[in-house]
Amino acid sequence: MIGENGLKTVFGSLFHDIGKVIYRSGGSRKGHSESGYEYLKEAGIQDEKILNCVRYHHNEPLKNAPIKDNDYAYIVYYADNIASFTDRREVDTGEVKFGFDQKIPLDSVFNLLNGNHGKSHYEMRVLNPESDINYPTNQPVEMDKEFYQRIITAITESLKGITLSEEYLNSLLSVLEANLSYIPSSTAKKEVADISLYDHVKITAAVASCVQQYLEEKQEHDFKKCLLRNAKKSYEEEMFLMYSMDISGIQKFIYTVGQKGALKGLRARSFYLEIMMEHIVDELLERLSLSRANLIYTGGGHCYMLIPNTTKVHKVIEEYESELNQWFMKTFDIALYVAGGYATATANNLKNEPEGSYSELYRTMSRMISKKKSHRYSADMIRKLNKKKHDAERECSVCHRSAKLVDEKCPVCLALETLSGSVLHEKYFTILSEPKKNAVVLPFGKYLIAQNETELLKHMQEISYVRCYTKNNICVGKHVTTKLWVGDYNTGENFEELAKQAEGVKRVGILRADVDSLGTAFTHGFQGEDGKGKYATLSRTATLSRQLSLFFKCYINRILQNGTETLLGKGGARKAVIIYSGGDDIFLAGAWNDVIAAFMDIRKALEKFTQGTLTISGGVGVYPPKYPVNIMAKEVERLEDFSKALDGKNAITLFEEERIYSESKQGEKIVENHRYSWDEFEQKVINEKLTALNEYFGNSEEHGMAFLYHLVELLRNTHEKINTARYVYLLSRMEPEEDKEKDNSKVRDEYRRFSEKMYQWSKNENDRKQLITAIYLYVYLNRREGEEDEINRG
C-alpha cells in the first residue's frame, strides 16, 4: 500500500503542471499554477493537499503560501525543481532570444544523442498505436490552441472514470501518457524542448515519492526549512537509489519448446517472461509503497527504477531478490535467476553534477549485478537444490524438468501451451491470487490468465483479483496497472505455413538483431564533443528509454504491416511473426525473403526514428520448416554476434558464419561469409548485383540454376588462373548466337553489358563476395520445383 501521504504526493506531482495545457489552450490568462488549480477544482477534485501541490509549486507563491510547514506542496516544489534541472538545459547557441513561445513543438530527444546536432521535432499528436509513426521532422510545426483544447477535453473526460485512489493511480499515468507525450514541458526559447510534459510530471512524481519516504524515515517534518530554505544543501543528500534488475537465462528458457507447435510455444514463452517482468516490477513497487511513476524502464528482462535511499528499501530489495530466486529455483531449477544492483544518488547526481556522476550510477549498478551473477546462490540455496525431491515424478517432454505430468507435460508448460493461443487474440491479462483453470503460475503466489473484457469485469469483483495488464490499448479501470505495448504482428500459425508463403525456395527465415552499443548510448550518448555531459540526465535517459520501447514494442507492428517493395519482397504486409520485440532487440520468424526485407524495413525505420543516431545489427538464417528450433536459435545468435564483430557494427549477416570452402596448394584458404555493412548490403548486393542478375536472367530462359551454381564455384576459386579462365569461358557460352532471321542485336548488347559486369566483379574481392551473395538470393527467389536438392548442396 502506498498510503495516504504517498498518494497525495504522487497525485499532486502528476497534476502539478496540468495548468500548462489550460494556459496554452487559451482557457486562462492566469499563470499555469493558478490555471491548473482552478481546472482541478472545476473537475471535482477538492482535496486541499493535492490542490496545494498544484497551486504552490513555484518559489514565489510558495514562500508566502498560507499552508503548514509540512505541506506536500514543498515536496512537489522540490521534486519539480530537480526534474526541471535534469531536463531544461539551455541550448548551445547565442542566437536564441529569451522568452516563451507557446507554439513550440516537442523537440526530438535524438537531436542531442551520440554527437548529433539535429533540429527535428514532432507533429501535434496524441499517443495512439493505431496512428502512423510520429517520426521526427524538420518541417515547420506550430502547436495551436485548438490542439491543446482537444487534449484538455480528453483528459477531463478520462478523469470522470478515475477516483484519486491507489486503485486508479496507474490508470491516470496511462491517460497522461496518451495525451501529454508530444507536448513540450517547457516552451522557453532558451531551453532545449526535448522533454515531454508527460515525462516531466512522471519524473517529478518519482522524485517526490522518494523525497517523501526519505524525510519520513528521518522524521523530518519541517519541509519548508529543508526543501525550500535549505534546498541547495539538500541537493547533496543521498536521498535516492538508482536500482536495476536483470533476469538471466531468458533466451534458453524461450527456446525450450517442443517441435510440435514450436512457433506458438516461442511466442507464449517470450510473452510470459515479459508479463512476469512487469509483475515482478509491480510486486516490488507495491512492497516499497511506490507507483509506476518510479519505473524508468522495463523490457527484455531488465528494469531500472528510481527509489528512496532508506533502511526499509534496502531491506525490502534484499529480501525480495532472495524470495524471487527461491521461487525461480523451486519452479524452474536453475534456468532463471534475477540479480539486482543499485547506486546511491543525490539530486545533483541526477542532473550529472559533478561531471560524469550520472553515468557512474549505471556503472555501479552494472558492477553489482555482474558480481551477483558470478555468485548466484548461497550455500543454503545450493543445499536445498541438491535435496530437492522428485518422488513419483517424470521428465516433462518440453522443458525436461521433473514434475507431475499431464499429457507428458509439466503444469507450467501445459499452461503456457494454453496461453499460446491467447497471446495474439486477447487484450486483457489478469493477475489473480488464486489458481484458476489454465492459469500460468507467477512469483509470490500469483497466477496469470488471458481474458476478454466481459471476463475481466467479472473477475474485478472477486477478492482474488490483483491487477490487469492491457495489450496495445490504453484503458482506464480499477487496478488496471498499465498498458503493455506488445509486438504481436502475425501472418502464420506455424513454421510450415510461413515457409509456404515464401518466394522461391519454401524456407523460413529467422532474424535476431539488436541496437548497437545501446548501453554506451545511455551512459555516454548525451555527452558533448568536449566530453562533458551537459545533457546526460535522468529525464533524457528516461525519455530515450520510452521512445525505444515505443519503437520496438508498438511501432514495429505498423512497420511490418507496411513493408516497402524490394526485389526480396512485395510491399505491404510482411509474411512474418514477431516472436519477441522489446527494449532494443528483435526475434522474428517468417517467409525467408520477407524476413530479410522486414529487417531492411526495420533498419530504415530506426534510422529515421532516431535521426541516424542509433544503428542495428543482426543475423538472418534460412531453414527448412522442420529444422530444430533450438538449433536455429543458436545458429542465428552466432550470426548476430558475427555482425556485431564487424568494425563499426551496423551490419547484417545472412545464411551462415565464415565457411572454409577449399585450400590452395600454397595454403591459402578460401573463406566465404555473407556479412555486410548495411550500406554495402543494400547498395552493392541488392541494388547493384541482385538487380543485374534479376534484369538479365529474368528475361532469359536459356540458362537454368545449374549455370549459376557453376558460376559460384568458379568465383570462390578465382585466385587460381585455371578457374579464372573457366569463368570467362562459362560467361562466353552465355552469348546469344546471331539470328539471321530476326534482329536480336538488343539481346546481344544486353549480354555484353552483363558479361562485362560479371567479369569486372570477378576481379575484385569485395565485388566477388557481393556477387556470390546476390546469386544465393537470386537462386533462392527463383527456385523451381525439383531444384531444391541442388540448393541444399550449394
Side-chain angles (χ1 to χ4, degrees):
M1 297 289 290
I2 295 178
E4 182 181 353
N5 293 346
L7 272 177
K8 294 188 187 302
T9 301
V10 174
F11 280 121
S13 299
L14 293 176
F15 284 129
H16 83 276
D17 268 350
I18 192 68
K20 289 184 176 180
V21 185
I22 306 296
Y23 184 78
R24 296 174 196 172
S25 72
S28 174
R29 294 186 176 182
K30 298 179 181 179
H32 75 264
S33 299
E34 195 68 24
S35 298
Y37 165 76
E38 292 183 352
Y39 164 74
L40 291 175
K41 285 188 69 176
E42 291 177 8
I45 297 174
Q46 302 299 322
D47 191 297
E48 183 178 306
K49 294 180 179 179
I50 294 174
L51 293 174
N52 284 347
C53 294
V54 179
R55 194 176 195 182
Y56 303 119
H57 70 272
H58 286 300
N59 186 282
E60 287 303 318
L62 185 59
K63 284 194 299 185
N64 304 309
I67 58 177
K68 296 179 181 179
D69 290 351
N70 66 345
D71 196 286
Y72 305 132
Y74 293 104
I75 295 179
V76 174
Y77 156 79
Y78 183 82
D80 177 45
N81 281 345
I82 293 174
S84 298
F85 292 157
T86 67
D87 60 38
R88 296 173 194 171
R89 299 301 170 100
E90 293 187 6
V91 295
D92 288 324
T93 174
E95 300 175 359
V96 178
K97 297 180 180 179
F98 288 5
F100 293 86
D101 183 355
Q102 296 175 30
K103 296 181 180 180
I104 289 177
L106 178 67
D107 286 342
S108 165
V109 74
F110 300 104
N111 284 343
L112 302 171
L113 186 65
N114 289 339
N116 191 27
H117 298 283
K119 302 291 183 182
S120 297
H121 43 252
Y122 296 103
E123 295 180 357
M124 290 183 291
R125 294 274 190 93
V126 294
L127 185 57
N128 183 350
E130 300 300 320
S131 300
D132 291 335
I133 300 172
N134 197 0
Y135 286 108
T137 178
N138 289 315
Q139 295 299 313
V141 173
E142 289 189 350
M143 307 288 279
D144 56 44
K145 291 182 179 180
E146 288 74 18
F147 174 71
Y148 280 113
Q149 288 167 3
R150 292 196 299 272
I151 293 296
I152 203 64
T153 298
I155 292 175
T156 303
E157 287 300 310
S158 296
L159 287 178
K160 293 177 182 179
I162 293 175
T163 60
L164 299 189
S165 64
E166 185 171 354
E167 294 175 332
Y168 289 89
L169 175 53
N170 290 310
S171 285
L172 176 61
L173 276 168
S174 292
V175 168
L176 296 178
E177 182 180 9
N179 290 285
L180 305 182
S181 281
Y182 292 111
I183 289 177
S185 172
S186 172
T187 59
K189 294 180 181 179
K190 68 175 182 177
E191 294 169 354
V192 180
D194 61 349
I195 306 299
S196 73
L197 187 53
Y198 169 71
D199 286 305
H200 173 69
V201 299
K202 182 174 180 286
I203 292 296
T204 300
V207 172
S209 295
C210 293
V211 172
Q212 184 261 324
Q213 288 195 23
Y214 178 84
L215 295 179
E216 189 176 86
E217 183 174 272
K218 288 186 65 178
Q219 297 185 336
E220 175 61 72
H221 304 296
D222 191 343
F223 300 158
K224 184 174 184 178
K225 177 182 176 181
C226 65
L227 301 179
L228 180 63
R229 294 173 183 164
N230 299 329
K232 288 187 178 179
K233 180 181 177 182
S234 69
Y235 291 160
E236 288 299 326
E237 288 193 59
E238 293 182 332
M239 295 188 183
F240 311 96
L241 288 181
M242 282 291 287
Y243 177 70
S244 176
M245 277 192 291
D246 182 89
I247 299 178
S248 301
I250 284 180
Q251 293 181 4
K252 186 176 181 180
F253 179 87
I254 291 175
Y255 305 147
T256 306
V257 295
Q259 196 60 29
K260 184 180 179 181
L263 186 57
K264 286 186 176 181
L266 289 169
R267 285 202 308 264
R269 284 175 171 266
S270 63
F271 183 74
Y272 172 60
L273 286 177
E274 190 167 359
I275 285 277
M276 183 191 290
M277 190 68 205
E278 301 290 345
H279 169 70
I280 287 170
V281 164
D282 284 312
E283 289 286 318
L284 178 56
L285 289 172
E286 185 175 316
R287 294 189 187 194
L288 296 174
S289 300
L290 298 171
S291 72
R292 277 201 161 231
N294 293 81
L295 177 63
I296 307 302
Y297 165 80
T298 179
H302 315 283
C303 74
Y304 292 97
M305 303 178 188
L306 183 69
I307 59 180
N309 183 20
T310 65
T311 304
K312 174 196 169 184
V313 166
H314 282 271
K315 183 179 179 181
V316 167
I317 60 177
E318 182 179 351
E319 292 176 349
Y320 183 84
E321 288 178 27
S322 176
E323 185 179 343
L324 181 54
N325 279 320
Q326 288 183 50
W327 183 85
F328 277 146
M329 183 180 287
K330 179 182 177 182
T331 311
F332 302 112
D333 292 334
I334 60 171
L336 296 173
Y337 174 82
V338 68
Y342 60 81
T344 57
T346 66
N348 282 335
N349 294 153
L350 299 181
K351 58 178 178 174
N352 199 33
E353 293 182 5
E355 186 74 38
S357 59
Y358 182 69
S359 298
E360 183 59 31
L361 298 178
Y362 286 87
R363 287 191 287 269
T364 300
M365 286 186 287
S366 180
R367 286 193 294 267
M368 186 178 290
I369 288 173
S370 296
K371 185 177 180 180
K372 287 184 179 180
K373 285 183 176 181
S374 64
H375 301 85
R376 278 192 174 196
Y377 304 114
S378 65
D380 183 56
M381 292 181 73
I382 293 173
R383 281 192 292 270
K384 287 181 180 179
L385 183 64
N386 291 333
K387 292 179 180 179
K388 191 173 181 180
K389 295 182 179 180
H390 300 290
D391 296 340
E393 297 175 356
R394 292 176 293 139
E395 191 178 84
C396 173
S397 62
V398 178
C399 68
H400 305 297
R401 286 187 294 273
S402 296
K404 295 180 180 178
L405 308 184
V406 177
D407 295 333
E408 302 301 316
K409 301 180 184 69
C410 70
V412 173
C413 290
L414 192 66
L416 285 172
E417 187 176 278
T418 302
L419 179 68
S420 67
S422 306
V423 170
L424 296 174
H425 308 297
E426 299 293 358
K427 292 183 178 180
Y428 304 98
F429 296 87
T430 305
I431 310 299
L432 303 172
S433 61
E434 295 178 359
K436 297 282 184 179
K437 183 180 179 182
N438 298 327
V440 188
V441 65
L442 287 172
F444 314 114
K446 303 301 192 299
Y447 302 86
L448 168 69
I449 57 174
Q451 296 185 304
N452 57 38
E453 186 174 0
T454 302
E455 293 168 333
L456 170 62
L457 292 173
K458 180 181 177 182
H459 264 116
M460 280 183 167
Q461 309 306 315
E462 298 180 4
I463 195 170
S464 63
Y465 176 78
V466 177
R467 72 180 76 90
C468 172
Y469 300 98
T470 65
K471 187 185 74 171
N472 296 335
N473 180 35
I474 294 176
C475 180
V476 175
K478 179 180 178 182
H479 284 306
V480 176
T481 300
T482 185
K483 48 88 197 74
L484 298 180
W485 301 127
V486 178
D488 61 354
Y489 183 84
N490 168 61
T491 62
E493 293 296 317
N494 52 59
F495 287 122
E496 289 79 6
E497 187 176 326
L498 291 170
K500 289 178 181 177
Q501 298 179 60
E503 293 291 330
V505 62
K506 302 306 178 185
R507 303 280 180 87
V508 293
I510 303 294
L511 163 68
R512 284 193 55 178
D514 68 8
V515 174
D516 297 318
S517 306
L518 186 60
T520 303
F522 274 109
T523 55
H524 297 93
F526 291 108
Q527 288 184 347
E529 294 177 355
D530 56 2
K532 293 184 178 180
K534 176 179 179 179
Y535 301 110
T537 63
L538 174 63
S539 291
R540 271 179 190 83
T541 52
T543 299
L544 176 60
S545 297
R546 196 166 66 85
Q547 287 294 332
L548 289 176
S549 288
L550 270 174
F551 183 88
F552 285 103
K553 292 185 177 183
C554 177
Y555 294 153
I556 191 166
N557 292 318
R558 185 159 291 276
I559 293 167
L560 295 178
Q561 183 66 40
N562 299 291
T564 302
E565 183 173 359
T566 71
L567 290 174
L568 291 167
K570 299 176 182 177
R574 295 293 179 212
K575 301 175 183 68
V577 173
I578 294 175
I579 294 171
Y580 174 76
S581 180
D584 70 321
D585 58 336
I586 308 164
F587 185 12
L588 197 70
W592 73 270
N593 57 298
D594 263 21
V595 167
I596 301 174
F599 195 12
M600 295 168 66
D601 293 333
I602 292 165
R603 201 280 304 177
K604 290 177 181 176
L606 181 68
E607 181 180 47
K608 184 178 179 180
F609 188 78
T610 67
Q611 299 164 233
T613 60
L614 295 174
T615 60
I616 189 168
S617 297
V620 178
V622 179
Y623 302 97
K626 293 185 178 181
Y627 202 73
V629 171
N630 60 331
I631 297 178
M632 283 194 287
K634 290 177 182 177
E635 289 182 356
V636 178
E637 182 180 11
R638 289 197 294 270
L639 297 183
E640 180 183 11
D641 292 340
F642 193 55
S643 291
K644 296 285 185 183
L646 182 68
D647 187 29
K649 302 181 181 180
N650 192 27
I652 178 174
T653 302
L654 300 175
F655 309 129
E656 59 189 351
E657 296 172 87
E658 287 192 327
R659 177 176 172 185
I660 300 174
Y661 276 94
S662 64
E663 189 171 341
S664 67
K665 294 178 181 178
Q666 293 76 29
E668 182 182 353
K669 295 180 180 179
I670 309 304
V671 179
E672 178 183 303
N673 70 62
H674 304 275
R675 178 180 68 180
Y676 301 96
S677 69
W678 274 108
D679 283 345
E680 183 180 8
F681 179 71
E682 292 182 344
Q683 299 305 319
K684 295 295 185 178
V685 177
I686 303 298
N687 294 343
E688 186 178 73
K689 311 278 189 308
L690 182 58
T691 297
L693 291 169
N694 194 61
E695 287 178 350
Y696 184 77
F697 287 104
N699 297 320
S700 173
E701 298 181 359
E702 296 182 12
H703 304 285
M705 296 301 176
F707 180 84
L708 289 172
Y709 303 149
H710 199 177
L711 276 181
V712 167
E713 290 303 317
L714 293 173
L715 285 168
R716 286 175 179 148
N717 296 279
T718 49
H719 66 284
E720 296 184 11
K721 291 182 179 181
I722 184 67
N723 282 317
T724 301
R726 287 172 178 168
Y727 182 81
V728 173
Y729 173 69
L730 187 63
L731 286 176
S732 68
R733 289 184 57 193
M734 293 171 54
E735 183 174 8
E737 295 182 1
E738 187 175 353
D739 194 329
K740 296 180 179 180
E741 296 183 3
K742 60 180 181 180
D743 183 9
N744 66 342
S745 58
K746 183 177 180 182
V747 175
R748 290 166 61 82
D749 288 342
E750 288 176 354
Y751 157 75
R752 291 190 185 100
R753 287 192 294 269
F754 177 74
S755 62
E756 177 64 24
K757 289 178 183 177
M758 297 289 283
Y759 175 68
Q760 292 298 328
W761 289 337
S762 72
K763 295 167 63 177
N764 178 275
E765 183 178 348
N766 289 332
D767 283 322
R768 192 163 59 243
K769 173 188 170 186
Q770 296 157 9
L771 180 56
I772 291 172
T773 302
I775 291 174
Y776 265 65
L777 293 171
Y778 180 83
V779 169
Y780 274 46
L781 282 167
N782 294 277
R783 184 193 69 80
R784 295 190 293 268
E785 291 296 329
E787 292 184 324
E788 187 163 3
D789 289 340
E790 293 189 66
I791 291 176
N792 287 336
R793 289 195 295 271

